[in-house]
Amino acid sequence: SRGTMSSSQFALSSQYTPKSVLITGGAGFIASNTTIRLVKNHPNTMFVVLDKMDYCANIRNLDPVKESKNFAFVKGDILSADLVNFVIKRYKIDTIYHFAAQTHVDNSFGNSLTFTKNNVLGTHTLLVCWRQNCKQIRRFIHVSTDEVYGENKEHEETGQKAAKQASNDAVKFDETKSMLLPTNPYAASKAAAELMIRAYMHSYKLPAIITRGNNVYGPRQYPEKLIPKFIFRLERKMKLCVHGKGTPRRSYLYVEDAAEAYEKVLFFGKTGQVYNVGTKDEISVLGVTKAIIKAFGLEKEEEKWIEFVADRHFNDQRYYISTDKLEEMGWKPKVTFEEGIKKTIDWYRKNRNHWEDTEISGALVPHPRR
């Protein structure tokens, strides 16, 4: 009817058009996959990766776009305000997409101060740089984690009653109003970074968007995380080391779906909003373990390949988030868990030399520490 805007017209009118985007931590897992998608899909926008090349980053992650005219790579640390300001001015950055972070929970139990330094002070440094260039930078997108919400208590109800309760939880969920209740040093550092961003939004009118993501898996992930670690261990005929009883439940999003979500947020996200990035499908750690064993064709001797080891100091049993806000922008995950596992195994087998053995040997132990 007259005066009513179609969804396609709304999308067009709502689109944000960046000219030059700084992607921090762009040689890491999720950010490199997102960078590849953005560079290929948006040739008229410049994408500049700034990465200090920590142990989990890999310059080979960016090979698909390294020759692209709308891509540049700068090796450096976000803790260096002088360098960040130089890059902002050199490339006329108008958007910061902040992925850079220490992310492995196990490491945060052993060396939590590093997480505060990189995740909190690093984010604060970027905010200071934004303030010094606020007339130029029109948007600041911070990539956070669903772990800032803390643990969702398991419902005692079973069957239909439990399902109904979970559905009610999703309806009540409001990202912008939910309390942050992190339960480990990694999550606490990400929550602290978010609070600093919110303070800048209120005090200095920072045009910010925050995303909070589920577990992501797929190509280019450093094998300290569950799925690539188990793929590497099975390839080496090693048992799969399951923490505790393997009961914690997680939602696992395939990285190509995640990259598409971050693309949506960049071009259609609204400042001041928080967007959850994930999937409603949950699976236990033990379920993931059995799925990988099955994908290797070893399900008939499943028990032979599973070894239960000491649990973390504290292991959240469940996170549950609603992705309704993102889905309203036209995004939905496309890759099923079974399909994603097969695609991931296939990628690692075709890219056996992506990491040297010396780069990953310490990551394959049950409880890696750095």
Side-chain angles (χ1 to χ4, degrees):
S1 61
R2 185 175 297 177
T4 301
M5 187 177 290
S6 70
S7 58
S8 59
Q9 288 174 318
F10 176 77
L12 187 63
S13 68
S14 303
Q15 184 165 350
Y16 170 73
T17 308
K19 294 180 180 178
S20 186
V21 181
L22 174 63
I23 301 177
T24 68
F29 165 49
I30 300 175
S32 65
N33 281 280
T34 303
T35 298
I36 291 166
R37 182 182 184 90
L38 291 172
V39 170
K40 289 184 175 181
N41 289 353
H42 305 279
N44 295 324
T45 301
M46 185 69 187
F47 296 95
V48 182
V49 165
L50 175 62
D51 199 304
K52 71 175 183 178
M53 300 307 297
D54 205 353
Y55 73 94
C56 55
N58 191 331
I59 194 64
R60 297 187 188 97
N61 285 348
L62 295 166
D63 278 353
V65 295
K66 65 180 181 181
E67 303 298 333
S68 300
K69 293 181 180 179
N70 63 324
F71 170 78
F73 174 81
V74 178
K75 182 179 179 180
D77 197 332
I78 59 172
L79 286 166
S80 171
D82 288 343
L83 175 61
V84 173
N85 279 325
F86 170 79
V87 173
I88 288 171
K89 290 178 172 62
R90 166 68 176 80
Y91 291 99
K92 299 178 180 178
I93 299 297
D94 63 10
T95 305
I96 294 176
Y97 218 141
H98 180 33
F99 284 87
Q102 293 283 338
T103 64
H104 194 42
V105 174
D106 278 351
N107 290 345
S108 80
F109 287 121
N111 191 6
S112 57
L113 194 58
T114 300
F115 283 70
T116 300
K117 180 179 178 182
N118 286 286
N119 298 354
V120 185
L121 185 57
T123 300
H124 197 171
T125 303
L126 289 176
L127 292 172
V128 170
C129 293
W130 165 80
R131 194 178 174 205
Q132 293 170 347
N133 299 274
C134 60
K135 292 182 179 179
Q136 178 179 318
I137 301 173
R138 298 182 292 138
R139 188 159 291 195
F140 188 107
I141 307 174
H142 176 68
V143 179
S144 191
T145 170
D146 61 354
E147 294 197 34
V148 299
Y149 293 122
E151 183 179 38
N152 296 132
K153 297 299 182 184
E154 287 285 346
H155 300 298
E156 295 179 359
E157 301 93 339
T158 57
Q160 292 182 348
K161 192 174 181 181
K164 184 179 179 181
Q165 181 66 50
S167 177
N168 289 339
D169 287 350
V171 171
K172 296 173 186 174
F173 199 99
D174 186 339
E175 297 91 331
T176 56
K177 297 178 182 177
S178 293
M179 292 181 65
L180 303 186
L181 299 169
T183 59
N184 61 66
Y186 157 62
S189 70
K190 294 296 286 186
E194 283 198 33
L195 292 176
M196 187 59 71
I197 289 168
R198 286 184 176 277
Y200 267 67
M201 290 168 69
H202 287 283
S203 298
Y204 305 116
K205 309 304 178 187
L206 171 74
I209 295 171
I210 294 172
T211 70
R212 296 174 183 150
N214 274 158
N215 287 40
V216 178
Y217 71 99
R220 302 180 180 88
Q221 187 171 28
Y222 183 73
E224 67 183 355
K225 299 294 178 73
L226 178 69
I227 290 174
K229 174 188 284 191
F230 281 8
I231 292 172
F232 271 81
R233 285 182 69 97
L234 270 187
E235 287 284 348
R236 289 160 172 74
K237 308 299 181 186
M238 300 167 67
K239 289 187 176 185
L240 306 188
C241 42
V242 176
H243 290 177
K245 296 179 180 179
T247 56
R249 301 182 67 80
R250 299 288 186 267
S251 298
Y252 293 89
L253 182 67
Y254 189 62
V255 71
E256 288 181 5
D257 285 333
E260 183 183 356
Y262 290 118
E263 179 184 39
K264 275 287 190 203
V265 170
L266 174 59
F267 289 94
F268 297 102
K270 299 296 183 185
T271 57
Q273 288 293 324
V274 178
Y275 295 97
N276 288 327
V277 179
T279 172
K280 294 180 176 67
D281 298 326
E282 293 181 307
I283 183 171
S284 70
V285 170
L286 187 58
V288 172
T289 306
K290 292 180 177 182
I292 294 173
I293 290 172
K294 183 178 180 181
F296 271 79
L298 300 171
E299 64 269 28
K300 290 183 179 180
E301 45 183 10
E302 182 179 274
E303 292 183 4
K304 171 184 173 183
W305 296 104
I306 298 176
E307 178 182 8
F308 293 97
V309 300
D311 208 344
R312 290 171 171 171
H313 294 291
F314 179 79
N315 209 340
D316 290 329
Q317 288 298 307
R318 183 176 186 251
Y319 305 117
Y320 189 87
I321 62 174
S322 168
T323 57
D324 291 349
K325 233 190 267 187
L326 197 54
E327 290 176 14
E328 287 171 5
M329 292 196 292
W331 175 88
K332 278 191 177 181
K334 298 182 178 70
V335 181
T336 66
F337 184 70
E338 293 76 14
E339 180 187 357
I341 288 292
K342 290 178 182 177
K343 287 162 70 92
T344 303
I345 292 171
D346 184 58
W347 186 88
Y348 280 105
R349 284 176 170 168
K350 289 179 179 177
N351 294 272
R352 295 180 187 274
N353 298 321
H354 201 71
W355 288 277
E356 303 293 336
D357 282 344
T358 54
E359 294 175 314
I360 63 171
S361 57
L364 300 182
V365 299
H367 297 279
R369 288 285 186 268
R370 286 188 180 270

